[in-house]
Amino acid sequence: MADNRPKNPAQHRLVRMRTQALKAPINQQHADAGRPEQNAYLDCGWGRLVFAQTFDDPKELVSSLREEGNDRRDIAFYVRDPHVLLSHAPQELFLDPSHTYRLDLSTYRASSRRPRGYFIRRLSSELDATEVNRIYQSRHMVQVHPAFFWTNRDNRALTYFVAEDETTGAIIGTVTGVHSRRAFSDPENGSSLWCLAVDPQATHPGIGESLVRRLAEHFQARSCAFMDLSVMHDNEMAIALYEKLGFYRVPYFAVKRKNEINEKLFTGSGADYDGLNPYARIIVDEARRRGIHAEVTDAAGGFFRLTQGGRSIHCRESLTDLTSGVAMSICDDKAVTRRVVEAAGVAVPEQIDADVDDAAIEAFIEKHGQIVVKPARGEQGRGIAVGIDNLADAKVAIAAARQQSDRVLLEACFEGSDLRLIVIDYRLVAAALRQPPAVTGDGRTSLRELIERLSRRRAAATGGESRVPLDAETERCVKNAGFGLDDIPPEGARITVRKTANLHTGGTIHDVTGDVHPTLVEAAVAAARAIEIPVTGIDFMVKAPTRPEYVFIEANERPGLANHEPQPTAERFIDLLFPLSIPFSVRAARNQRRKPRKDE
């Protein structure tokens, strides 16, 4: 038999795209396969998936998109002639800057490797739905009412999978699938993937790939011909994953309505805005939502100016003109900060200067068992070593800390967890446990590679803000765990690779705002008032967020506000800067809550 396939793979792809691009509308194909539902759509909770190939008249498709609900994002998918559709409503619609990819399920082969440290299962409770929304929010996706997930658990057109951590039971990823035949009697018997999202704090590798594969195997078992998806054109990591799994580009397009949710996609943000880091961007986004003018003055440094009416405030991320130079200088020197908050009644650990002799250092270590070595000045966890229990390691840590500051401090080590409290206008807005970076062995990969993989995932999840440095401190922590960087830890072994929990050195953040003990809240506010700083991140070491025991670690004059979902950090920040921008309904509700009762 003659082989008529193109010899050149690139030519083969071009032939395939050209053939599919010339397909007739779906209702003119497969005459013997039955007629699909006309003008079909599927409510997915975040909006409707509108199947454009079931519309004969583009005007009808435009009318359908105009029915989009508030705070929802409808998507017209499988649009073959977007230029024609847009011509009917150029002021209302835009072409989504995404690529469509397809996986041929007739040739797809499942992987023999199974997930390690987590497993994939169906969404099975409203608690699962709440956790899925938490992940959506962390990824800036449109949320779905939890009741929608639950009421649609038996919907044969919609399939929800979640990834669950085997140890903690936490939901760490999710994906949604749509079965097209069950949605609108699709004669092509296709399927599609939507809302793939992984918790940015998750440390396990391959969660996204496992979710995609599980959904593909689900639809393959139901004899679907293919599985399609839409991915932003610049999402290089996702595209690389899909192409690795065998997806290929197909020439179908998505069209959406011009609304607030989609605004960045059809207006463009500009080079200056794109240069902002996540900590500046979350504030600028909130300001723009309120109609406050935002001028980026130095994107690389995170500087911008906010203006409304006659009020103008210059900011560097969460640091503003409202923070005095005195407050900044107090926060800049950790020894000064400690003295100021101690005078206000805040509990602090014992501390000495590192410029003492070896005997004094040894005596300090012997007294406290373990100590912390940190530069008197510095930020983002640089130069800090935790859990030092001998003179030799202390000297190495002191030398590393001196690279950040000439003055180095030794501090008693408080066993517990790192708690960050965001205090704005002397009120607690958010609280989060910060956990140090850790990896889990798979019995095949060296610790060095596991750390590098974790670092890449943390960087991708935080816009490049979080990475695990392969430095002397990481090597010391690995050594204390009984390994070398080039050792291969056994499967399931969990190794903490740094003792510090700073986001910038690979730490993860977990919201505990609703669980914080009142004593911790009072101490954080007292520290902020003592420094007289309107916006600050107060760091405590605690036994647990629900318990009153703590010691003060430091105060940050420029706390990151982008890591505390679902707490409204950016909203409260803009409330402080521009109180007149607070919506009237919100101000009225607050005043009602503060109104004293008649019996008071």
Side-chain angles (χ1 to χ4, degrees), residues 271-277 279-281 284 294-306 314-317 558:
D272 288 343
Y273 177 85
D274 289 339
L276 292 175
N277 63 35
Y279 308 110
R281 189 173 300 181
V284 170
E295 175 194 0
V296 179
T297 54
D298 182 63
F303 289 89
F304 53 90
R305 184 180 298 279
L306 303 179
H314 206 184
C315 309
R316 184 183 186 189
E317 299 166 8
R558 183 162 50 98

Side-chain angles (χ1 to χ4, degrees), residues 1-241:
M1 180 181 293
D3 186 353
N4 296 319
R5 292 176 298 179
K7 304 301 181 185
N8 186 316
Q11 181 185 357
H12 175 62
R13 288 195 295 269
L14 288 172
V15 170
R16 181 168 58 192
M17 290 181 67
R18 189 180 303 115
T19 302
Q20 292 175 348
L22 296 176
K23 280 185 177 180
I26 194 167
N27 61 335
Q28 297 179 22
Q29 303 181 57
H30 305 279
D32 58 344
R35 185 175 178 82
E37 178 185 335
Q38 294 298 289
N39 300 349
Y41 64 82
L42 178 67
D43 187 359
C44 298
W46 41 260
R48 298 175 308 152
L49 183 58
V50 182
F51 299 99
Q53 73 272 44
T54 67
F55 287 75
D56 294 329
D57 186 349
K59 293 180 181 178
E60 290 288 338
L61 182 51
V62 171
S63 296
S64 181
L65 289 172
R66 284 173 176 158
E67 296 172 2
E68 179 182 70
N70 293 331
D71 299 321
R72 289 292 176 263
R73 173 186 281 172
D74 287 358
I75 303 174
F77 198 45
Y78 297 115
V79 178
R80 286 189 174 82
D81 298 312
H83 54 296
V84 175
L85 178 61
L86 295 178
S87 71
H88 288 278
Q91 303 303 319
E92 299 178 64
L93 306 179
F94 71 99
L95 182 62
D96 186 50
S98 297
H99 296 319
T100 302
Y101 274 79
R102 170 166 293 181
L103 179 67
D104 186 344
L105 295 178
S106 67
T107 59
Y108 169 76
R109 295 293 178 267
S111 172
S112 59
R113 295 178 61 182
R114 298 291 94 186
R116 297 178 184 274
Y118 63 94
F119 57 91
I120 310 298
R121 63 169 174 81
R122 292 284 194 107
L123 183 145
S124 61
S125 69
E126 289 200 48
L127 180 59
D128 286 350
T130 300
E131 286 296 288
V132 167
N133 269 330
R134 177 185 60 79
I135 295 174
Y136 284 173
Q137 184 175 45
S138 71
R139 293 299 191 179
H140 307 291
M141 297 163 65
V142 180
Q143 295 179 62
V144 178
H145 195 289
F148 179 89
F149 287 114
W150 191 240
T151 56
N152 282 272
R153 64 189 183 278
D154 296 324
N155 187 331
R156 300 181 70 206
L158 284 168
T159 300
Y160 302 105
F161 286 113
V162 295
E164 178 179 328
D165 188 290
E166 288 180 351
T167 303
T168 66
I171 302 302
I172 54 178
T174 179
V175 71
T176 301
V178 172
H179 194 310
S180 297
R181 175 167 288 179
R182 291 171 176 173
F184 64 95
S185 301
D186 177 19
E188 292 185 304
N189 196 22
S191 64
S192 52
L193 176 155
W194 300 92
C195 299
L196 175 65
V198 175
D199 188 338
Q201 311 295 348
T203 59
H204 298 291
I207 298 171
E209 177 178 343
S210 296
L211 287 163
V212 175
R213 286 188 177 279
R214 181 66 184 88
L215 191 63
E217 290 158 18
H218 170 81
F219 286 132
Q220 187 181 51
R222 283 149 184 79
S223 303
C224 292
F226 53 82
M227 183 171 74
D228 291 346
L229 58 84
S230 179
V231 57
M232 287 296 296
H233 70 96
D234 57 355
N235 193 344
E236 296 178 358
M237 290 187 66
I239 289 173
L241 168 63

Side-chain angles (χ1 to χ4, degrees), residues 363-382:
F364 194 70
I365 293 173
E366 184 176 353
K367 179 179 180 180
H368 297 289
Q370 292 185 331
I371 66 169
V372 178
V373 177
K374 62 184 182 182
R377 288 185 167 88
E379 59 181 3
Q380 299 181 350
R382 298 189 186 100

Side-chain angles (χ1 to χ4, degrees), residues 54 86 129 210 217 225 242 248 328 350 363 388 441 457 552 580:
T54 67
L86 295 178
S210 296
E217 290 158 18
Y242 298 139
Y248 56 88
M328 277 197 64
E350 185 177 348
I388 301 294
R457 291 196 301 275
F552 172 89
L580 294 181

Side-chain angles (χ1 to χ4, degrees), residues 223-443:
S223 303
C224 292
F226 53 82
M227 183 171 74
D228 291 346
L229 58 84
S230 179
V231 57
M232 287 296 296
H233 70 96
D234 57 355
N235 193 344
E236 296 178 358
M237 290 187 66
I239 289 173
L241 168 63
Y242 298 139
E243 291 182 342
K244 166 189 167 183
L245 296 179
F247 284 82
Y248 56 88
R249 284 271 303 277
V250 288
Y252 305 133
F253 304 94
V255 169
K256 299 174 181 175
R257 286 190 71 237
K258 294 179 179 178
N259 59 26
E260 291 183 358
I261 296 173
N262 296 322
E263 186 174 1
K264 295 177 188 175
L265 301 178
F266 63 83
T267 62
S269 53
D272 288 343
Y273 177 85
D274 289 339
L276 292 175
N277 63 35
Y279 308 110
R281 189 173 300 181
I282 189 176
I283 297 170
V284 170
D285 284 345
E286 178 60 24
R288 287 178 170 176
R289 274 193 290 270
R290 299 195 194 187
I292 297 169
H293 177 69
E295 175 194 0
V296 179
T297 54
D298 182 63
F303 289 89
F304 53 90
R305 184 180 298 279
L306 303 179
T307 305
Q308 186 181 52
R311 186 174 176 84
S312 181
I313 298 180
H314 206 184
C315 309
R316 184 183 186 189
E317 299 166 8
S318 64
L319 178 65
T320 76
D321 296 336
L322 303 184
T323 297
S324 70
V326 172
M328 277 197 64
S329 66
I330 291 173
C331 292
D332 182 56
D333 190 319
K334 294 178 175 61
V336 175
T337 313
R338 178 183 177 279
R339 292 197 298 270
V340 169
V341 301
E342 184 181 21
V346 177
V348 297
E350 185 177 348
Q351 187 182 89
I352 64 171
D353 199 292
D355 287 332
V356 294
D357 58 30
D358 290 356
I361 295 175
E362 282 191 301
F364 194 70
I365 293 173
E366 184 176 353
K367 179 179 180 180
H368 297 289
Q370 292 185 331
I371 66 169
V372 178
V373 177
K374 62 184 182 182
R377 288 185 167 88
E379 59 181 3
Q380 299 181 350
R382 298 189 186 100
I384 298 177
V386 177
I388 301 294
D389 60 5
N390 61 79
L391 179 62
D393 284 349
K395 285 187 169 183
V396 172
I398 290 170
R402 289 199 194 283
Q403 296 178 14
Q404 305 297 324
S405 172
D406 291 338
R407 188 178 175 206
V408 177
L409 305 172
L410 308 182
E411 197 169 82
C413 189
F414 181 94
E415 286 294 328
S417 301
D418 189 326
L419 180 69
R420 162 64 63 90
L421 301 108
I422 300 295
V423 178
I424 298 177
D425 198 18
Y426 307 112
R427 294 182 179 90
L428 178 71
V429 175
L433 278 181
R434 304 194 297 175
Q435 297 180 352
V439 297
T440 303
D442 60 6

